[in-house]
Amino acid sequence: MTSSFIQLAAEQKSAEVTDWAARIGWVVGLLLFIALLYWLMREGWKWRGTLQGGLPELPTAPEDAGAPRLTMTGRYHGSTTAGQWLDRVVARGLGTRSRAELTLTDAGVDVVRPGAQDFFVPAAALRGARLDAGIAGKVLPEGGLLVITWAHGDQELDSGFRSDRAAEHTDWVAALTDLISKNSKNSKTTETEGAR
């Protein structure tokens, strides 16, 4: 009985490929289809950047930003329109994911991105900070992402960061909330004095 199984196994062989032209045609067609999809995605990215072309230039850090209150190294995962976590902003290099070094001072948040455009979020432009689970193209466990809401031009943006040490996120939310409340008190005091 064992010998009959061996004979059956020896007899069953796959058929040789006889139509190489058809196989090569299918492979070339598949490669062209993949190239077309890649080209369409690239054109969509450029089109989105063109639509967002009205976004002003990103601010740079002032010479005297003050002493650092907090620093963080990690990843920048992108920016979206505030409150719309899937509406990615790609203009001015804000759509480029990269490593990031954040420094919080009384003047604002300095974001240094090796290989991508650095930017600065002035303290007056800060609108909020929270822990979140995701931003366009990146979803993490609950609270795994530090999201900073800030105003740039006439638009509010959410920028997502992930620290190399996730425990730092709560310190950043507390410090940013404190800085925002101080700035809102200062602006209210200035408005009240100007009204007299």
Side-chain angles (χ1 to χ4, degrees), residues 23-162:
R23 290 249 176 160
I24 290 172
W26 277 103
V27 169
V28 169
L30 181 62
L31 292 175
L32 288 174
F33 179 71
I34 291 170
L36 174 67
L37 288 179
Y38 176 76
W39 180 80
L40 288 172
M41 288 189 299
R42 184 175 165 86
E43 290 300 308
W45 187 268
K46 289 195 306 192
W47 177 69
R48 180 174 279 275
T50 302
L51 288 178
Q52 299 167 349
L55 198 66
E57 286 290 330
L58 295 173
T60 57
E63 292 292 324
D64 184 26
R69 294 173 64 177
L70 282 175
T71 59
M72 177 176 81
T73 58
R75 292 201 60 81
Y76 168 76
H77 287 289
S79 294
T80 63
T81 303
Q84 298 178 12
W85 74 286
L86 290 175
D87 187 22
R88 184 187 297 267
V89 175
V90 300
R92 308 289 181 209
L94 289 173
T96 306
R97 289 186 183 166
S98 62
R99 293 284 303 159
E101 298 170 7
L102 276 71
T103 305
L104 176 64
T105 63
D106 288 334
V109 180
D110 186 21
V111 181
V112 176
R113 301 187 306 154
Q117 184 178 356
D118 302 340
F119 62 94
F120 181 76
V121 180
L126 289 168
R127 298 295 182 259
R130 68 183 186 279
L131 298 179
D132 212 332
I135 199 160
K138 186 65 174 180
V139 177
L140 295 163
E142 190 63 39
L145 198 66
L146 169 66
V147 177
I148 299 174
T149 303
W150 55 292
H152 183 54
D154 59 352
Q155 189 172 5
E156 285 196 0
L157 305 174
D158 283 340
S159 294
F161 302 92
R162 170 89 171 155

